[in-house]
Amino acid sequence: MSSSRSFLSDDHFLSARNENLSSRSSFQEPSLRSTWAGAYDSAEEDVFDIPPKGVTTKSLQRWKKATLVLNAARRFRYTTNDSEELRQERLRRLWTSAQAVRAVNLFLKAGTVFNASDDFNVDPQKLMLMTQQQQVETLRELGGIKGVLSLLKTSTDLGANGDSQELEARRRMFGSNTYPRQPRKRFWVFVIDACKDLTLIILIVCAVLTLSLGMKTRGVKEGWYDGVSIAFAVILVILVTSISDYRQSLQFSALNEEKKNIQIEVVRAGRRKKNSIFDIVVGDIVLLNIGEQVPADGLFIDGHSLYINQSSLTGESEPVHVHHKMPFLSSGGKVDDGHGLMVVTSVGMLTEWGQLMASLTEDTNEETPLQVRLNGVATLIGKVGTTVAVLVLCVLLVFYFVGRTEGPNNSGKFMSGQTSKTEIFNAVVQIFETAVTIVVVAVPEGLPLAVTLTLAYAMKKMIADKALVRRLSACETMGCATTICSDKTGTLTLNQMTVVTAWVGGGIRDPVTELQMLREDYIKVLFEGIVQNSNGSVYIPLEGGNPEVSGSPTEKAVLAWGLKLGMNYASLKSETTILQVETFNSIKKRAGVAVRPVESSKVHVHWKGAAEIILAESDELLYPDNTAMPMSIEERNHLLNVIEAMASESLRCIAFAYMEMDVGDVPSGDLVEEWKLPTGPLTFLAIVGIKDPARPEVPDAVHRCQLAGIKVRMVTGDNLMTARAIAIECGILQEGDVAIEGATFRNYSPEMRAQELPKISVMARSSPSDKLLMVRALREMGEVVAVTGDGTNDAPALREADIGLAMGIQGTEVAKESSDIVIMDDNFASVVRVVRWGRSVYRNIQKFIQFQLTVNVAALTVNFVAAVSSGDVPLTAIQLLWVNLIMDTLGALALATERPTDKLLESPPVGRKEPLISNVMWRNILSQACYQVAVLLAFQFRGKDILRLSGSRADDINNTVIFNAFVFCQLFNEVNSRKLEERNVFRGLLSSWLFLGIVGTTVVLQVIIVEFLNKFASTVKLDWEYWIISIGIGMDWDIHYLSHSGSLKAYCCGSYGYPQD
């Protein structure tokens, strides 16, 4: 069992938090230490804590009001609980829960003996209160930031020791970065939910009445069979349903645990490394960059322009500027801008975030669009089934009381004044049982179950395909996608960057490490820009070996190039002092830093970024002799040609430039924090061309998307020439397509944009607002849009899109939280696999609908016609319950877990408004149902003649053959339903072990029911020839084959664009 921990999902918490801001002071009381972690190891989070995307409470309420709930406990088990009264009640209990946490903290504190001097000479409670209440005086008492670092036995450069014993000692002292969660639903809860089904309750009552009457009239030895048989069948249905639901809850719980496992970059033993947020300990040095989450409470050590969005804690959307005078950081905040280092001072339940999250019990269970549509289908079918059951009930009652049919257990026909009240009551109960059982069979509670099974199965398998689903509805919507707007770097390319060409000091360097003709001062100022204008770092192992470079792929490529040139990273870091930093983002497309060399009166402002942007801001050129001269038009054109040549080879062009200022021109003191770095005029230094090869599997993946009717578009911040070259290599830019820049697209009129958009395959030099504009324009045109993104600024486009796909490796936490699916390997091929799974979900649901409707139509028609014509029904209550189990739970499990095939990508996307039951499905349903009804009714009325039966057992044998043949019809129809459009239903059958196992198990159970459970199921043993007849009737593949040929198939397939082979 996974440990009870979670620190990611806070969407559901916001409303509760905003309404309880006044209670913040109640959470300042310290909770205790590591005992919290062990105390809640068995706790689990609600398994469906996945907030719906773009769905309002009012709209969900309207859906539910419009739907008649015949079978609420079983059909709507996984739907959104949008009761306003319940929500308000939970919010009222928030205060009580928080006070309970506070009381337990005080109780544990009073009863625990703790010696702080054993490991660290600091009180965890004091650190917690200092951070939560922003106590500047307490920070001074502890010696400021340096004093806290010393007390926690850590340092800015080395961080905490990564030794496992020391980490465990820190957890013992300060606690672990976890918080308790509400217990997971136990199995018995699912059993109780299944027992709430009204129809099953009625059947249990009927079973009790049948049992008591049978034992009274026929004695205990013979009279218990009927009642116990019905009760056992009902219990079996309840258990199978409960087990299925419980298993799905476990799967969703495991998926949610994976979703919340955020990776944080920390410094331990001098190395930067990614660690799970759950493994963070007090004393860790954590690196914070744009879009990342603050993993625990702590203190700001160093950094620039660090703004934290604390809306999840305070409800205020205005970001908070964190600096040396107010260095307090709270867990749960998101980095809006800047970067910084922090030291962790409190974790888990010793943070306000942990205390608040532990006190929340509200859950938001999502109802997907497909579930809503299926509920409507199920309601309609349920109404029809209920109508048929009422008619059968009336007909059977009339036939019995007019003396046309006999009562149960050979009690004879009804005779007024002669038939006992007990026999009358027993007959009425049996008739009522039959009618209620017809309702059980008719109400397709398996439809929502099939959706749940399909979604759970798809989500589990998509993990293996490197896709983590955050919102259930995305599984369905992805199958409808008509266009994919993809990033370039890391998604279409490998994100393994290397500097392969460089222009430095007036010419291209070949090899790129050849800088011998340059003066030392030139090289030094270039190295200064490489080292200080970077979020990356270089670690030199003490035991020797190659340097370890960390940071973004671009940063790593540039730093690695500098190291090859002989750059001394540590020395250069110590020779200058950083005054101000402007971090890179996708809008500015550049990053800057102001540094002051030691014992110098000058300040250097270094810039690096998109080559043409840096070149446009430069008016001087640094020559090899380290002299700066004005840049002539010829030199500027030459550099533009260099950039274009590099871009045409699919290289990312990064330029370096700087400007020199007097110290007196730079703000001093606190004013430097608000100082905006001057962007020019700059002195141009160098251009590097960075190679990021296209992923080898991408061209084939793009081609498969195009065959599937999905338009792939590249949206990138790179140079137009670079983007065009990569797009051609990947097969995105084809004949007739165009590539434009974001500024051009931005300046289009709405009419012009709608006219040109179908031809646009590449948008280069695009900003996040350009991507958002493209998404909105595509959706207005009726497209179903999937968008990839990795940055904080991509969040609006990810939210706006029908399916937001965040990158798991390079993606920020803000991007991931705004997305529907996280692509864990940042690979476009994984996006295509997600499309295939999306189509598989929809297709599997259609398979099950076809299978279940066929059973419903056949069972209702046979029972109704037989009841009206002869006053008797061929299938008993027990037999109908067994058929219900086959077609609902077992059928859903078999058909909903079929793996997707590449053939799904050979047809166009599924339209969002396309009917769930297509013409192809109606053809299959009606042909199969007509065949089953015709054959079974023939045996109902002429079975004894057809089978040449006579004697006392003739009726029993005939009824058993009808039951046996009906079950085998459903089993073979289950095989037919695997392929909606194909003749060959056996394709891939042998590789579907679960399907074969379910069908095989059903056959074995059917043999046991017929041959050994005769009294239980009202059957008799059959000779081998009757088994062959039953199986032969069930083998209706000839009907399937005929229905998939000729003009009928052409009409049905052509109506929806399905392939006809």
Side-chain angles (χ1 to χ4, degrees):
M1 181 178 294
S2 59
S3 60
S4 57
R5 58 194 188 180
S6 175
F7 262 82
L8 178 58
S9 294
D10 53 88
D11 292 346
H12 64 286
F13 159 72
L14 296 181
S15 59
R17 175 59 182 166
N18 292 341
E19 296 184 26
N20 291 274
L21 290 177
S22 60
S23 63
R24 287 189 65 192
S25 59
S26 67
F27 298 111
Q28 307 301 326
E29 188 64 30
S31 65
L32 216 79
R33 322 180 156 84
S34 57
T35 52
W36 275 107
Y40 289 91
D41 275 347
S42 63
E44 289 290 339
E45 185 188 29
D46 183 83
V47 297
F48 279 89
D49 188 14
I50 307 174
K53 181 182 181 185
V55 181
T56 65
T57 301
K58 289 184 178 180
S59 66
L60 289 173
Q61 289 173 342
R62 286 196 299 270
W63 272 113
K64 288 194 173 180
K65 288 178 181 178
T67 308
L68 174 63
V69 183
L70 289 172
N71 210 356
R74 299 171 75 189
R75 290 178 49 217
F76 292 97
R77 192 173 299 111
Y78 297 119
T79 60
T80 302
N81 183 358
D82 53 350
S83 170
E84 185 63 23
E85 291 82 1
L86 181 60
R87 191 182 74 85
Q88 293 297 332
E89 176 62 25
R90 284 177 171 174
L91 292 180
R92 285 193 293 270
R93 292 205 307 265
L94 176 60
W95 172 263
T96 305
S97 301
Q99 292 299 323
V101 172
R102 181 174 181 267
V104 172
N105 290 342
L106 293 174
F107 176 78
L108 291 175
K109 179 181 178 182
T112 304
V113 178
F114 177 73
N115 186 0
S117 62
D118 289 347
D119 294 300
F120 301 89
N121 189 25
V122 63
D123 184 3
Q125 316 299 330
K126 190 172 186 178
L127 289 176
M128 183 196 74
L129 290 174
M130 177 190 69
T131 305
Q132 290 187 9
Q133 299 180 3
Q134 300 188 355
Q135 298 173 347
V136 179
E137 286 299 324
T138 303
L139 181 59
R140 289 201 190 100
E141 290 176 12
L142 295 175
I145 302 295
K146 290 184 179 179
V148 172
L149 290 172
S150 176
L151 291 171
L152 295 178
K153 299 181 181 179
T154 187
S155 69
T156 304
D157 296 329
L158 299 178
N161 192 330
D163 180 75
S164 59
Q165 291 184 347
E166 178 175 325
L167 295 178
E168 187 57 37
R170 291 179 184 273
R171 292 190 181 97
R172 282 198 312 271
M173 173 72 181
F174 301 101
S176 61
N177 201 25
T178 62
Y179 65 82
R181 302 184 306 190
Q182 67 181 72
R184 186 179 58 213
K185 275 187 176 181
R186 303 301 178 188
F187 175 70
W188 59 267
V189 176
F190 292 93
V191 175
I192 292 175
D193 287 343
C195 290
K196 293 177 181 177
D197 182 357
L198 180 60
T199 54
L200 293 183
I201 292 174
I202 294 174
L203 284 177
I204 287 290
V205 173
C206 292
V208 173
L209 293 174
T210 303
L211 177 64
S212 59
L213 291 173
M215 294 174 65
K216 181 179 178 181
T217 57
R218 291 182 289 159
V220 176
K221 188 175 182 180
E222 296 291 333
W224 65 273
Y225 285 112
D226 291 342
V228 171
S229 298
I230 296 174
F232 178 78
V234 172
I235 292 172
L236 182 62
V237 171
I238 290 173
L239 286 178
V240 172
T241 304
S242 304
I243 292 171
S244 175
D245 293 340
Y246 182 63
R247 284 177 54 83
Q248 305 323 311
S249 75
L250 294 180
Q251 286 190 20
F252 280 113
S253 179
L255 292 171
N256 276 350
E257 186 68 23
E258 181 70 25
K259 180 184 72 176
K260 299 173 191 304
N261 188 18
I262 304 172
Q263 296 299 306
I264 302 295
E265 192 171 11
V266 301
V267 178
R268 285 183 182 171
R271 282 186 171 93
R272 287 190 186 184
K273 56 193 302 185
K274 291 280 188 179
N275 278 80
S276 168
I277 190 172
F278 307 128
D279 296 332
I280 299 296
V281 297
V282 170
D284 268 335
I285 304 300
V286 177
L287 287 85
L288 299 175
N289 292 305
I290 294 177
E292 294 181 350
Q293 177 172 314
V294 180
D297 287 0
L299 297 172
F300 172 78
I301 301 174
D302 194 16
H304 295 275
S305 306
L306 184 62
Y307 286 86
I308 304 295
N309 186 327
Q310 294 184 330
S311 59
S312 56
L313 282 169
T314 66
E316 298 293 334
S317 59
E318 188 69 23
V320 177
H321 185 198
V322 180
H323 47 81
H324 290 291
K325 290 193 174 182
M326 288 298 290
F328 306 104
L329 289 158
S330 296
S331 175
K334 306 292 191 303
V335 181
D336 262 13
D337 198 8
H339 67 90
L341 286 177
M342 69 171 283
V343 57
V344 176
T345 58
S346 299
V347 294
M349 286 299 293
L350 290 177
T351 67
E352 184 178 7
W353 176 256
Q355 292 177 2
L356 289 173
M357 293 301 289
S359 68
L360 291 177
T361 58
E362 184 175 7
D363 57 350
T364 53
N365 301 328
E366 178 184 7
E367 184 175 22
T368 69
L370 189 54
Q371 281 177 320
V372 172
R373 296 175 69 185
L374 281 174
N375 289 336
V377 174
T379 299
L380 177 61
I381 298 171
K383 288 179 180 179
V384 174
T386 304
T387 303
V388 172
V390 171
L391 290 175
V392 170
L393 175 66
C394 296
V395 169
L396 292 181
L397 287 174
V398 170
F399 280 13
Y400 174 72
F401 284 109
V402 299
R404 184 171 176 179
T405 58
E406 294 186 354
N409 304 318
N410 300 317
S411 60
K413 296 181 179 181
F414 173 79
M415 298 182 66
S416 180
Q418 298 182 21
T419 305
S420 67
K421 293 181 180 179
T422 300
E423 291 176 343
I424 295 172
F425 187 74
N426 197 12
V428 171
V429 168
Q430 188 180 57
I431 292 171
F432 192 68
E433 282 176 3
T434 302
V436 172
T437 307
I438 290 174
V439 174
V440 173
V441 175
V443 174
E445 66 269 13
L447 289 180
L449 176 62
V451 176
T452 304
L453 286 169
T454 302
L455 291 174
Y457 178 76
M459 290 174 69
K460 180 180 178 181
K461 294 299 182 181
M462 284 168 73
I463 290 287
D465 282 343
K466 305 300 181 184
L468 175 64
V469 178
R470 299 189 73 253
R471 292 184 176 87
L472 283 175
S473 58
C475 288
E476 304 166 5
T477 312
M478 199 64 193
C480 306
T482 58
T483 184
I484 300 175
C485 299
S486 173
D487 287 338
K488 177 184 76 69
T489 305
T491 306
L492 298 173
T493 63
L494 288 170
N495 214 13
Q496 298 173 359
M497 300 190 183
T498 309
V499 175
V500 296
T501 185
W503 183 98
V504 187
I508 297 291
R509 299 295 163 174
D510 188 15
V512 293
T513 56
E514 176 56 52
L515 299 182
Q516 293 181 359
M517 301 297 294
L518 303 181
R519 284 190 56 174
E520 184 178 342
D521 292 344
Y522 189 124
I523 297 175
K524 184 175 182 179
V525 76
L526 177 61
F527 285 173
E528 185 182 89
I530 293 174
V531 170
Q532 296 290 36
N533 194 13
S534 172
N535 281 334
S537 68
V538 177
Y539 172 75
I540 308 295
L542 297 177
E543 63 274 11
N546 295 325
E548 298 177 9
V549 182
S550 62
S552 69
T554 304
E555 302 278 17
K556 289 166 66 175
V558 173
L559 286 172
W561 176 60
L563 292 173
K564 291 178 182 178
L565 295 174
M567 178 181 72
N568 189 323
Y569 180 84
S571 174
L572 286 164
K573 286 288 271 187
S574 63
E575 289 175 0
T576 55
T577 302
I578 296 178
L579 303 179
Q580 180 61 301
V581 172
E582 281 198 25
T583 54
F584 179 89
N585 65 44
S586 52
I587 297 176
K588 298 180 295 187
K589 301 193 186 314
R590 59 187 172 191
V593 63
V595 299
R596 180 180 179 181
V598 177
E599 299 180 356
S600 173
S601 61
K602 298 293 184 181
V603 171
H604 294 165
V605 179
H606 289 274
W607 288 97
K608 74 173 180 183
E612 65 271 25
I613 293 177
I614 298 297
L615 179 60
E617 298 289 349
S618 303
D619 64 356
E620 288 188 339
L621 190 63
L622 195 64
Y623 285 86
D625 59 359
N626 200 38
T627 58
M629 301 291 291
M631 188 183 303
S632 66
I633 295 177
E634 290 77 13
E635 289 169 330
R636 185 177 298 276
N637 289 334
H638 168 69
L639 290 173
L640 288 173
N641 290 334
V642 169
I643 294 170
E644 186 173 333
M646 290 183 180
S648 65
E649 297 176 8
S650 304
L651 302 183
R652 167 173 286 188
C653 303
I654 304 294
F656 298 84
Y658 85 113
M659 65 181 297
E660 193 172 72
M661 304 174 61
D662 291 327
V663 172
D665 296 332
V666 177
S668 59
D670 295 340
L671 296 177
V672 75
E673 287 286 344
E674 305 298 329
W675 179 43
K676 296 295 182 182
L677 298 183
T679 57
L682 304 177
T683 300
F684 200 81
L685 294 175
I687 308 171
V688 295
I690 301 176
K691 182 68 174 177
D692 184 14
R695 294 181 182 270
E697 64 271 24
V698 165
D700 178 63
V702 171
H703 180 64
R704 289 165 66 190
C705 280
Q706 291 164 347
L707 289 178
I710 301 173
K711 173 80 171 178
V712 180
R713 292 177 168 88
M714 178 196 291
V715 183
T716 178
D718 259 347
N719 179 286
L720 181 60
M721 293 294 295
T722 304
R724 189 194 299 272
I726 289 289
I728 292 174
E729 184 178 350
C730 294
I732 295 174
L733 192 64
Q734 297 185 319
E735 186 177 353
D737 293 341
V738 297
I740 64 170
E741 291 190 341
T744 305
F745 184 77
R746 194 184 315 141
N747 294 327
Y748 281 156
S749 66
E751 296 77 15
M752 186 69 173
R753 195 175 295 129
Q755 180 181 341
E756 293 295 323
L757 196 50
K759 297 182 290 184
I760 296 174
S761 292
V762 177
M763 186 163 69
R765 285 290 180 239
S766 64
S767 66
S769 61
D770 296 329
K771 180 185 284 190
L772 178 61
L773 185 62
M774 174 174 278
V775 171
R776 286 176 175 169
L778 286 168
R779 294 192 70 195
E780 288 172 1
M781 295 169 60
E783 301 276 0
V784 180
V785 186
V787 170
T788 69
D790 52 16
T792 302
N793 291 325
D794 289 330
L798 291 170
R799 286 189 180 274
E800 180 72 21
D802 296 284
I803 313 101
L805 303 163
M807 299 297 106
I809 299 174
Q810 294 299 319
T812 64
E813 289 309 313
V814 172
K816 292 176 185 177
E817 289 186 5
S818 300
S819 68
D820 303 294
I821 299 174
V822 177
I823 305 300
M824 295 189 292
D825 62 353
D826 292 12
N827 192 342
F828 184 80
S830 298
V831 177
V832 179
R833 288 193 288 268
V834 171
V835 173
R836 194 173 64 166
W837 274 110
R839 295 191 176 188
S840 175
V841 166
Y842 194 88
R843 188 55 57 88
N844 284 349
I845 298 303
Q846 285 189 313
K847 293 175 184 178
F848 182 73
I849 290 174
Q850 175 179 303
F851 169 67
Q852 186 159 59
L853 288 188
T854 304
V855 182
N856 282 354
V857 171
L860 290 176
T861 304
V862 168
N863 280 284
F864 179 73
V865 173
V868 171
S869 59
S870 65
D872 191 16
V873 289
L875 300 176
T876 66
I878 300 299
Q879 293 168 355
L880 284 173
L881 284 173
W882 170 235
V883 172
N884 182 70
L885 189 64
I886 294 174
M887 75 176 189
D888 279 343
T889 305
L890 298 180
L893 187 62
L895 292 172
T897 54
E898 285 274 279
R899 291 189 63 87
T901 63
D902 289 336
K903 197 170 184 64
L904 290 170
L905 296 177
E906 295 178 7
S907 55
V910 179
R912 279 193 286 193
K913 296 184 179 180
E914 181 177 313
L916 279 174
I917 308 175
S918 65
N919 285 357
V920 174
M921 295 169 64
W922 279 122
R923 175 202 67 194
N924 297 338
I925 292 169
L926 294 177
S927 60
Q928 290 288 339
C930 289
Y931 166 77
Q932 293 181 22
V933 169
V935 173
L936 294 177
L937 287 179
F939 275 84
Q940 171 70 11
F941 296 113
R942 292 289 184 267
K944 289 188 288 185
D945 296 334
I946 296 173
L947 299 174
R948 298 178 182 178
L949 297 173
S950 60
S952 59
R953 297 178 68 245
D955 288 332
D956 293 335
I957 294 175
N958 186 50
N959 289 335
T960 303
V961 170
I962 292 174
F963 167 59
N964 210 27
F966 185 69
V967 169
F968 277 102
C969 279
Q970 309 325 314
L971 289 178
F972 287 109
N973 186 40
E974 198 168 357
V975 177
N976 293 338
S977 298
R978 292 183 63 250
K979 305 294 180 182
L980 298 182
E981 303 92 26
E982 298 181 39
R983 294 185 188 180
N984 184 7
V985 297
F986 303 107
R987 188 196 304 272
L989 181 61
L990 295 180
S991 62
S992 184
W993 294 105
L994 181 59
F995 186 93
L996 292 174
I998 291 172
V999 172
T1001 301
T1002 307
V1003 171
V1004 171
L1005 292 175
Q1006 178 67 14
V1007 172
I1008 293 173
I1009 288 173
V1010 171
E1011 294 295 322
F1012 303 102
L1013 302 179
N1014 303 129
K1015 290 188 176 181
F1016 168 78
S1018 301
T1019 59
V1020 295
K1021 292 185 178 181
L1022 296 179
D1023 294 334
W1024 63 269
E1025 60 265 25
Y1026 298 127
W1027 277 100
I1028 293 177
I1029 291 172
S1030 300
I1031 295 173
I1033 293 172
M1035 293 180 65
D1036 50 3
W1037 290 320
D1038 52 340
I1039 303 299
H1040 177 86
Y1041 185 86
L1042 291 174
S1043 67
H1044 283 70
S1045 61
S1047 58
L1048 179 61
K1049 177 187 174 183
Y1051 166 73
C1052 295
C1053 293
S1055 299
Y1056 288 95
Y1058 290 125
Q1060 299 184 29
D1061 53 5

